[in-house]
Amino acid sequence: MFDFLQDLWGRLTGRRRRLGFSAAATTDRGLVRDDNQDSFVCAPEEGFLCVADGMGGGEGGALASQWTCTALQEAWMSTKGRPLEAREPQVLEALQSVNGRIRAYAKSNGFKVMGTTAAAILHECVDGFRARIFHVGDSRIYRYRLGRLDVLTRDHTVGNELGSAMSASSSAQAKSLQARSNPLTHILTRAVGTELRARPDWKTVDVQKGDRFMLCSDGVHDMLSDAEIAEILKESSSPRVAVAHIEAAVRKAGAGDNYTIVCGYVVTQHC
């Protein structure tokens, strides 16, 4: 009945029902770190969700993640109303620009390492049944749909790259590389600000009403298994509830790093 009334209202006002996001987010330094170098953007009304996990000495990591989130959001909003494909180049240009800004700042301040991961969902209401996602580093994007959890991104880490290359091997070395506790697992092979040009992976994903997306930094997926994440997303009635339950589970597991959680549930909306 509610859907029928929404359709009727849309016809009377000339507005069309499409798919969009209802979202919530949080970030915290965790239970071990002294500061928080993560940043996020949770702007479902703009069709933009983003997580960035900074790294670097002093204030470097926090600045890198903040600059990246701000630059990407501003680029996305500057192309509002265009189809997805027409908006993507502006976002990529902003990513390369902030990549250069981070590198210049690191050099002038004597930082050996300064950079950030980035993972984002880009969704335009007029293209309601699909979205574009991209990521650099090991921040992840998950999608829960009809009992199945899919990781839509691939960690850009030494452990993952070498582990994948050696997946056919049963050697102790291959198993060690794939072990969560191995420090190699967390050495990034890509990040914003650590190379001459950022190298994001892009993907188009289909979007269905009822899908539940989660973007997070490694402070979440290092603490929780896919099965735990799937169960929480399954049982959580709203993004706000999901964020609260994911955060509680991360803290119960020790919260050994900064953590950021952005949950977006796909709903119908007028546009």
Side-chain angles (χ1 to χ4, degrees):
M1 176 60 73
F2 182 69
D3 284 346
F4 169 77
L5 292 175
Q6 281 192 317
D7 282 332
L8 179 60
W9 176 251
R11 286 194 294 270
L12 291 174
T13 60
R15 302 174 68 195
R16 302 179 65 185
R17 293 183 66 215
R18 298 287 189 178
L19 296 178
F21 284 95
S22 171
T26 193
T27 188
D28 193 87
R29 69 181 184 180
L31 300 177
V32 175
R33 303 290 190 183
D34 293 328
D35 57 359
N36 187 4
Q37 297 192 346
D38 286 6
S39 299
F40 71 86
V41 178
C42 182
E45 69 285 351
E46 299 171 2
F48 187 78
L49 306 174
C50 183
V51 165
D53 179 358
M55 57 183 182
E59 64 182 0
L63 286 176
S65 67
Q66 291 167 14
W67 290 346
T68 298
C69 283
T70 299
L72 294 175
Q73 184 180 22
E74 289 178 350
W76 177 249
M77 288 304 298
S78 72
T79 59
K80 187 174 182 179
R82 301 180 192 173
L84 277 174
E85 290 79 2
R87 304 182 75 178
E88 184 176 312
Q90 194 79 9
V91 174
L92 183 57
E93 182 180 337
L95 188 66
Q96 301 303 347
S97 178
V98 77
N99 185 82
R101 181 184 182 186
I102 293 168
R103 289 177 60 82
Y105 188 88
K107 182 178 181 180
S108 64
N109 286 274
F111 293 156
K112 291 183 178 180
V113 177
M114 179 178 173
T116 183
T117 69
I121 296 178
L122 312 176
H123 180 263
E124 172 58 57
C125 192
V126 296
D127 294 312
F129 296 101
R130 62 195 179 99
R132 287 287 278 170
I133 67 171
F134 74 85
H135 81 291
V136 183
D138 61 355
S139 292
R140 292 182 182 176
I141 302 176
Y142 294 84
R143 181 183 61 200
Y144 178 83
R145 174 188 291 171
L146 300 176
R148 172 173 172 166
L149 183 74
D150 290 309
V151 184
L152 302 179
T153 52
R154 179 180 63 88
D155 293 350
H156 298 140
T157 61
V158 171
N160 190 55
E161 303 283 357
L162 293 181
S164 297
M166 301 173 68
S167 60
S169 171
S170 60
S171 68
Q173 182 182 9
K175 293 179 180 179
S176 176
L177 286 169
Q178 295 177 31
R180 177 181 294 184
S181 60
N182 192 307
L184 283 177
T185 301
H186 298 285
I187 298 176
L188 296 178
T189 56
R190 300 190 205 178
V192 183
T194 61
E195 302 178 276
L196 288 176
R197 289 184 63 81
R199 295 182 292 141
D201 283 345
W202 289 82
K203 181 186 294 185
T204 299
V205 296
D206 67 295
V207 176
Q208 297 181 11
K209 183 179 178 181
D211 284 350
R212 300 178 177 187
F213 287 84
M214 183 182 76
L215 300 81
C216 67
S217 58
D218 65 344
V220 175
H221 62 73
D222 279 351
M223 295 288 102
L224 304 180
S225 68
D226 287 358
E228 291 172 310
I229 292 171
E231 184 63 22
I232 292 173
L233 292 178
K234 174 185 176 182
E235 297 298 328
S236 299
S237 59
S238 71
R240 189 174 301 278
V241 171
V243 167
H245 288 175
I246 291 285
E247 179 174 30
V250 168
R251 296 183 73 85
K252 183 178 180 180
D257 196 357
N258 304 156
Y259 60 82
T260 299
I261 309 153
V262 179
C263 288
Y265 283 23
V266 178
V267 296
T268 53
Q269 60 182 203
H270 284 104
C271 58

